[in-house]
Amino acid sequence: MNSIHISYSDGIGGASRAAYRIFSAIEKESFNQGYSSIFKVYKKVTGDYRVIDNNNEWKYWKKIQPLLSRIPYQSFKTTNNTAHSTALIPNNFYSKLRDLNKSSKVDLCHLHWIGDSTLTIEEIGKIDIPVVWSLHDQWPFCGAEHYCFPPKDTMAESDDIRYINGYQKESRNIGEGGFDLNRWTWLRKLRAWKKPLNIVCSSSWLYDCAKNSFLMRDWPIYKIPYPIDLEKWKPVDKRLARDLLNLSNKDNDIPIILFGAVGGTIDPRKGADLLFEAFLYLKNNSENNIFKNMQLIIFGEYEPINPPKIGYPIKYVGKLNDDISLRLLYSAADLMVVPSRQEAFGQTASEAHACGTPVASFEIGGLKDIVDHKKTGYLAKPFSSKSLAMGIKYILESSKKNNTLGSNAREKALRLWDKQKIASSYIQIYRNLCNKE
């Protein structure tokens, strides 16, 4: 029951970090049972010997392939700012997988986030061994878009349901023009994927999306959350964490609020604008002194030329690529805010919970699985900055309540996201597919 995992990267972005965590958990459990797993990526960023990158294979093609991949985008116009992938131009991943299969070294293929640089849509359809696909966004059942159009500010869910009804010509969204890249990409999936694949979703929201999709509604679909190493990701004493990160203040009583995402505040899907509005509301509508002095810390971004004016000091700590720094930062904070408009899971929220830090977010997507309202954090009304401000206020207004929420958060992480439990769930799927007792 040897497996090969395929992903764009092992650490660039949240999806790649999740893929690496899934692989690492499964590989350790598989090794204990006498099996092996390898991880094939387009761009390697970890030093893990088990991860095989693409740098020394097809090195000249690697420069040309991305340019060819962009050709279908030339006449496509959209106001949906999410990433788009056509998975059109082949790389060497499929030939490597085929060679391994011929030598009887691989029993199962485990796919993750693939983008435009790993397997093509057509190659996925040709894989003749069992396939497990961990979804990290909506792309596998959508067109070229990795998320459908974001919901309007007055709606909890998007009204873009092309992935449910099929991508008919007349159903095109108002925010698109030119070549219908999404319909064309979706039709290629429909033609190529004749054999159902085994889909794993990280949240109830993503599971429901896949189950309702035209493309996957009759496929086997499972729900397994992202794993986390709870021995590595655990609380650090707050004062110690602040001292180590040089975040201490005079009396150590000024609340620290944390926000972070790949790209920081630039990606509108991550909702930084809504967080800033919530801060302004608190500044202008709070009599309690605790809300007169707060600090926002942002990771994933360096300080811009013109930082936003929110009424409170902002400290930018840049991109933190090591788990130790992130763990210290979560532990130093009184609250993590994840104000996303769309989120398949919400890995920063689960990391914060593992470190005993409450989370405030909107009641959307995968965050509904992570945050228990008024037990481990606060779920605000989508997409009300006032409601989010009330969530921040609820979590911070009492140190006793804050400690209780943090303890509950850590307990939930231990109960649901333990890497060994997650690995066992995946291996059971592997066994069923490979007929291993």
Side-chain angles (χ1 to χ4, degrees):
M1 199 173 62
N2 302 320
S3 61
I4 181 171
H5 293 243
I6 296 177
S7 175
Y8 172 77
S9 176
D10 56 346
I12 301 176
S16 295
R17 292 178 71 233
Y20 179 70
R21 286 177 176 175
I22 293 169
F23 161 75
S24 296
I26 292 173
E27 195 276 338
K28 183 175 182 180
E29 194 69 15
S30 296
F31 179 80
N32 292 337
Q33 299 183 30
Y35 305 116
S36 67
S37 297
I38 59 172
F39 198 8
K40 178 78 171 175
V41 300
Y42 182 73
K43 288 188 177 180
K44 179 178 178 178
V45 297
T46 71
D48 194 329
Y49 70 91
R50 301 169 301 176
V51 181
I52 304 169
D53 68 7
N54 206 35
N55 285 334
N56 296 321
E57 303 174 49
W58 293 19
K59 60 182 180 179
Y60 298 113
W61 179 247
K62 194 173 181 179
K63 296 179 180 180
I64 300 171
Q65 191 259 3
L67 300 176
L68 296 176
S69 294
R70 302 309 300 174
I71 292 175
Y73 298 82
Q74 291 179 353
S75 64
F76 171 63
K77 298 178 181 179
T78 184
T79 57
N80 185 354
N81 293 318
T82 189
H84 287 67
S85 300
T86 59
L88 176 66
I89 307 299
N91 217 308
N92 71 323
F93 284 80
Y94 180 71
S95 59
K96 183 73 173 179
L97 175 61
R98 186 179 54 198
D99 292 344
L100 287 170
N101 190 29
K102 284 181 179 178
S103 61
S104 301
K105 290 184 179 179
V106 175
D107 303 299
L108 180 141
C109 177
H110 193 144
L111 301 180
H112 295 276
W113 198 94
I114 64 171
D116 267 336
S117 304
T118 53
L119 293 168
T120 69
I121 288 170
E122 289 72 21
E123 286 173 338
I124 291 171
K126 294 177 183 177
I127 298 174
D128 57 2
I129 55 177
V131 175
V132 172
W133 197 344
S134 292
L135 304 196
H136 301 279
D137 54 30
Q138 294 180 299
W139 183 84
F141 52 80
C142 282
E145 72 276 41
H146 283 265
Y147 283 94
C148 59
F149 270 80
K152 299 178 178 66
D153 284 349
T154 57
M155 302 169 60
E157 293 289 340
S158 172
D159 59 359
D160 178 4
I161 55 173
R162 290 187 95 187
Y163 73 92
I164 296 175
N165 297 332
Y167 284 66
Q168 299 96 348
K169 292 180 181 179
E170 62 273 12
S171 69
R172 195 170 191 190
N173 290 292
I174 295 174
E176 289 186 359
F179 175 55
D180 194 343
L181 185 75
N182 290 323
R183 171 177 162 81
W184 174 72
T185 303
W186 184 84
L187 287 172
R188 287 172 51 225
K189 294 176 183 177
L190 188 65
R191 288 191 294 267
W193 299 346
K194 298 299 184 183
K195 182 177 67 174
L197 308 177
N198 300 277
I199 303 301
V200 178
C201 299
S202 57
S203 67
S204 300
W205 173 78
L206 194 58
Y207 176 92
D208 290 341
C209 289
K211 204 67 180 174
N212 290 325
S213 70
F214 189 97
L215 195 61
M216 295 183 175
R217 59 182 54 159
D218 296 322
W219 292 11
I221 304 176
Y222 308 87
K223 186 180 76 170
I224 304 176
Y226 289 159
I228 189 164
D229 187 339
L230 294 164
E231 287 298 312
K232 181 185 297 183
W233 292 87
K234 57 186 178 182
V236 176
D237 178 78
K238 191 183 299 291
R239 290 184 182 275
L240 175 61
R242 290 186 178 189
D243 287 342
L244 291 171
L245 295 173
N246 197 28
L247 297 175
S248 298
N249 48 66
K250 263 193 277 186
D251 52 11
N252 256 329
D253 289 330
I254 295 177
I256 290 178
I257 298 174
L258 192 61
F259 167 81
V262 176
T265 63
I266 299 171
D267 185 351
R269 189 171 60 84
K270 296 299 183 179
D273 57 314
L274 300 172
L275 174 60
F276 296 155
E277 290 174 8
F279 268 105
L280 288 171
Y281 180 89
L282 284 171
K283 190 68 175 180
N284 297 325
N285 295 277
S286 296
E287 296 179 0
N288 192 328
N289 287 334
I290 193 173
F291 302 111
K292 296 297 182 181
N293 297 291
M294 296 192 296
Q295 183 176 31
L296 174 64
I297 296 180
I298 296 176
F299 66 90
E301 177 183 12
Y302 294 98
E303 184 173 356
I305 296 175
N306 297 306
K309 307 296 182 183
I310 64 171
Y312 297 96
I314 303 176
K315 182 180 180 65
Y316 294 83
V317 296
K319 298 178 181 179
L320 303 178
N321 296 315
D322 66 288
D323 292 346
I324 295 175
S325 296
L326 278 169
R327 176 190 166 197
L328 288 172
L329 194 55
Y330 287 124
S331 298
D334 298 282
L335 164 66
M336 174 78 189
V337 183
V338 186
S340 301
R341 290 178 167 89
Q342 292 172 305
E343 202 68 68
F345 182 70
Q347 212 163 190
T348 56
S350 65
E351 289 171 353
H353 271 15
C355 295
T357 302
V359 173
S361 72
F362 293 114
E363 192 176 4
I364 59 98
L367 292 165
K368 292 187 291 185
D369 284 7
I370 296 174
V371 181
D372 290 339
H373 186 54
K374 295 187 176 181
K375 292 182 179 179
T376 70
Y378 193 96
L379 291 172
K381 179 182 177 182
F383 290 96
S384 166
S385 297
K386 179 180 177 181
S387 180
L388 185 62
M390 292 301 98
I392 295 171
K393 183 177 180 181
Y394 175 84
I395 293 172
L396 295 181
E397 62 188 357
S398 163
S399 58
K400 182 179 179 181
K401 182 194 294 180
N402 188 270
N403 290 335
T404 300
L405 293 170
S407 296
N408 292 342
R410 173 64 181 177
E411 187 280 328
K412 182 172 185 177
L414 289 167
R415 179 164 42 89
L416 295 182
W417 307 320
D418 175 74
K419 64 177 185 177
Q420 188 173 358
K421 293 179 182 178
I422 303 301
S424 296
S425 297
Y426 270 108
I427 289 176
Q428 186 57 54
I429 296 174
Y430 284 16
R431 288 183 179 279
N432 292 340
L433 294 176
C434 299
N435 296 316
K436 301 285 185 179
E437 296 299 327

